[in-house]
Amino acid sequence: MSPMLLADAPGVQSAPLPTGQSARNLYFSLYADPAAQPDVARAFVDDQIALARELPVDLPSNINDLQAWIEERTEIVGHEYRDYLAARKNGAPRRYFSTRAHALYFIKGVAPTKLVDGAWLYGLVRQWDDVAFHPLIKTYLEELGDGLPDKNHVTLYRKLLATHGCDSWEGLSDDHFLQGALQLALGHHAEHYLPEIIGYNLGYEQLPLHLLITSYELNELGIDPYYFTLHVTVDNAASGHARKAVQSVHDLMPRVGDRDAFWQRVVNGYRLNELGASTTSVIGEFDLNDELVDIMAAKSVVGKNMHSDYCRVAGRSVNDWLTEPAQIPAFLAALEDAGWIKRGEQVEHSRFWRLVEGERAEMFGVFNAYELQVLRDWITSHPDGGQAAGARVLTARARQRTLDQHGLGTERGTAFPVRGLIRRHTGADAQDTGNELRVLEQQVAASSGKQEAMALLARLLSPEVHHTTVGLMATRMYTQLFDA
């Protein structure tokens, strides 16, 4: 899924809109205990609606024109993407990612949103017996991969973060958490914000140009784009989430009462997509030098007491250099002047690199995969611009084909627990080591009827649980009953 298309306008640099300072705290609070502060969550949503209400909107005035509107937008995006591909074929540089580290910075920067993917729809799963809610519930279940780990969006993104050492995203600025906090708050207060959820979903499910370009450039840099390409297919305007979003507007529009007021709330929900950090603003905020300085400053907190005094740079001990984080830029410059780092050359030419990476590296493990990539790209970049020539990088798809050809399986994995059928247990089943899964199966099997079973399973489809082993199995069982 992806935010709306306004940020894709040619020549326009998306910038976060001003917000309160509570998004990050609310995000973690809702994730830990969604029922703890309901008034705080609702006040937060109300504040965001008040901000969003002032934004322009491009929705058609007549809801009967919605399907034609999304098809037209999809057509425009398709033409713009073809133009992008033609430009790249003719030698144009990547539009978004200057280096691999830049791409990984983006993956980390949008993590708070991606790790609650679909959360705004969670509160609707209790409406399973109302056919008008089915398109939205089906959308949520598909966000959860219908309970399959290799299709569950949060599971996929968690693996992507872990693969590239991008797990440490909790310290991002408040603005990076706004969309995630908003999605969690909407999902846990669906009964109060149904029109806004419908509108938010309508905006979030449109196919944006940046999703196509991001997928292309990640693959080019050897980073598996599957999480992103999956959204290209499921969000399609013909039969995917974008089509279901339009259908939901029609199905849930009240037949009596103030339809205009309901529609205005839908429009305000649509506008909520534009608040906080966006794909393009996160990409635009990256600075390779600043990121390396931040990484080194964070390391200095521990490293300032860990070095022997015999090693000196510009007449000062390493511990002395690391005493104050503000000295990091000068320390890096001193390493260059002393020949420990040779900018614009391959990393193996730099003594400092050989200390942190390699078979006999004395500082092996100090930097994770993401931090090493930032350091690598900084060393190989020329101070006045440009990048040292390096080894050819296999695209993610080419690497996957190589693995398949050698019988090494898939990087993503396709296996998932076969549990999740509703059945009575025999004595042999009681010896099952998966106790939590066995208990869930027994509870569902012992339910008095579908109503009770669905209520039990719905609790385990929450944004905090659905990607866990028991949450995935609950999703498969809920989906089985929902489709029955």
Side-chain angles (χ1 to χ4, degrees), residues 71-82:
E71 290 173 0
E72 180 182 1
R73 288 168 69 100
T74 301
E75 184 74 11
I76 292 171
V77 167
H79 285 298
E80 291 176 340
Y81 186 54
R82 285 209 303 271

Side-chain angles (χ1 to χ4, degrees), residues 364-382:
F364 180 81
V366 170
F367 296 88
N368 65 27
Y370 168 68
E371 294 162 346
L372 285 172
Q373 188 66 55
V374 172
L375 179 60
R376 174 187 286 275
D377 288 344
W378 183 80
I379 291 175
T380 57
S381 65
H382 294 275

Side-chain angles (χ1 to χ4, degrees), residues 297-406:
K299 299 296 180 187
S300 72
V301 175
V302 174
K304 63 185 179 183
N305 298 315
M306 298 297 174
H307 296 81
S308 301
D309 285 340
Y310 75 84
C311 181
R312 309 183 78 79
V313 178
R316 299 172 59 184
S317 70
V318 175
N319 285 343
D320 187 26
W321 278 111
L322 299 180
T323 299
E324 293 292 336
Q327 297 181 141
I328 295 300
F331 178 50
L332 290 171
L335 288 171
E336 280 191 74
D337 292 340
W340 283 67
I341 292 176
K342 297 183 178 180
R343 297 287 303 278
E345 299 184 24
Q346 291 304 298
V347 288
E348 292 77 11
H349 299 167
S350 292
R351 183 180 176 186
F352 183 76
W353 177 263
R354 297 196 298 273
L355 287 175
V356 301
E357 180 69 354
E359 187 176 331
R360 299 177 62 84
E362 296 177 30
M363 295 171 58
F364 180 81
V366 170
F367 296 88
N368 65 27
Y370 168 68
E371 294 162 346
L372 285 172
Q373 188 66 55
V374 172
L375 179 60
R376 174 187 286 275
D377 288 344
W378 183 80
I379 291 175
T380 57
S381 65
H382 294 275
D384 56 351
Q387 201 82 18
R392 176 175 173 266
V393 177
L394 280 179
T395 66
R397 293 189 180 95
R399 187 172 64 250
Q400 186 64 58
R401 285 195 297 270
T402 301
L403 288 171
D404 293 340
Q405 288 168 3
H406 289 83

Side-chain angles (χ1 to χ4, degrees), residues 182-481:
L182 189 57
Q183 291 178 16
L184 288 168
L186 289 171
H188 286 296
H189 296 274
E191 71 289 344
H192 189 75
Y193 293 110
L194 177 61
E196 286 81 9
I197 290 171
I198 295 170
Y200 185 86
N201 185 70
L202 178 64
Y204 208 87
E205 295 294 0
Q206 304 309 310
L207 177 64
L209 178 62
H210 65 67
L211 180 61
L212 296 167
I213 296 176
T214 295
S215 302
Y216 184 90
E217 296 190 1
L218 289 175
N219 176 62
E220 192 175 28
L221 289 163
I223 300 169
D224 188 353
Y226 181 63
Y227 171 88
F228 300 93
T229 56
L230 180 62
H231 288 80
V232 173
T233 56
V234 301
D235 291 349
N236 74 83
S239 60
H241 293 180
R243 177 68 183 89
K244 290 182 175 70
V246 172
Q247 182 181 347
S248 298
V249 175
H250 291 281
D251 292 348
L252 293 169
M253 180 67 69
R255 302 294 182 252
V256 296
D258 194 338
R259 288 168 59 91
D260 289 340
F262 187 93
W263 172 245
Q264 188 55 56
R265 290 182 62 185
V266 170
V267 171
N268 288 337
Y270 176 88
R271 289 181 169 119
L272 288 174
N273 282 275
E274 289 302 304
L275 299 179
S278 67
T279 290
T280 49
S281 72
V282 171
I283 291 171
E285 72 192 17
F286 177 76
D287 181 276
L288 181 60
N289 189 75
D290 289 348
E291 186 66 5
L292 179 62
V293 169
D294 288 345
I295 289 170
M296 295 291 287
K299 299 296 180 187
S300 72
V301 175
V302 174
K304 63 185 179 183
N305 298 315
M306 298 297 174
H307 296 81
S308 301
D309 285 340
Y310 75 84
C311 181
R312 309 183 78 79
V313 178
R316 299 172 59 184
S317 70
V318 175
N319 285 343
D320 187 26
W321 278 111
L322 299 180
T323 299
E324 293 292 336
Q327 297 181 141
I328 295 300
F331 178 50
L332 290 171
L335 288 171
E336 280 191 74
D337 292 340
W340 283 67
I341 292 176
K342 297 183 178 180
R343 297 287 303 278
E345 299 184 24
Q346 291 304 298
V347 288
E348 292 77 11
H349 299 167
S350 292
R351 183 180 176 186
F352 183 76
W353 177 263
R354 297 196 298 273
L355 287 175
V356 301
E357 180 69 354
E359 187 176 331
R360 299 177 62 84
E362 296 177 30
M363 295 171 58
F364 180 81
V366 170
F367 296 88
N368 65 27
Y370 168 68
E371 294 162 346
L372 285 172
Q373 188 66 55
V374 172
L375 179 60
R376 174 187 286 275
D377 288 344
W378 183 80
I379 291 175
T380 57
S381 65
H382 294 275
D384 56 351
Q387 201 82 18
R392 176 175 173 266
V393 177
L394 280 179
T395 66
R397 293 189 180 95
R399 187 172 64 250
Q400 186 64 58
R401 285 195 297 270
T402 301
L403 288 171
D404 293 340
Q405 288 168 3
H406 289 83
L408 298 177
T410 173
E411 289 187 323
R412 299 180 202 114
T414 55
F416 58 90
V418 296
R419 306 290 296 275
L421 301 177
I422 301 173
R423 60 193 181 205
R424 302 285 176 180
H425 286 268
T426 66
D429 290 322
Q431 305 302 316
D432 194 321
T433 57
N435 184 60
E436 191 175 29
L437 304 185
R438 176 168 53 84
V439 169
L440 176 60
E441 286 179 316
Q442 290 174 336
Q443 288 179 345
V444 173
S447 297
S448 60
K450 187 173 181 178
Q451 192 79 34
E452 182 181 343
M454 293 296 267
L456 169 64
L457 294 168
R459 293 195 295 272
L460 298 173
L461 269 59
S462 69
E464 317 82 53
V465 180
H466 69 73
H467 56 278
T468 66
T469 301
V470 72
L472 290 165
M473 192 177 83
T475 304
R476 293 195 295 276
M477 299 171 81
Y478 180 101
T479 302
Q480 179 186 0
L481 291 170

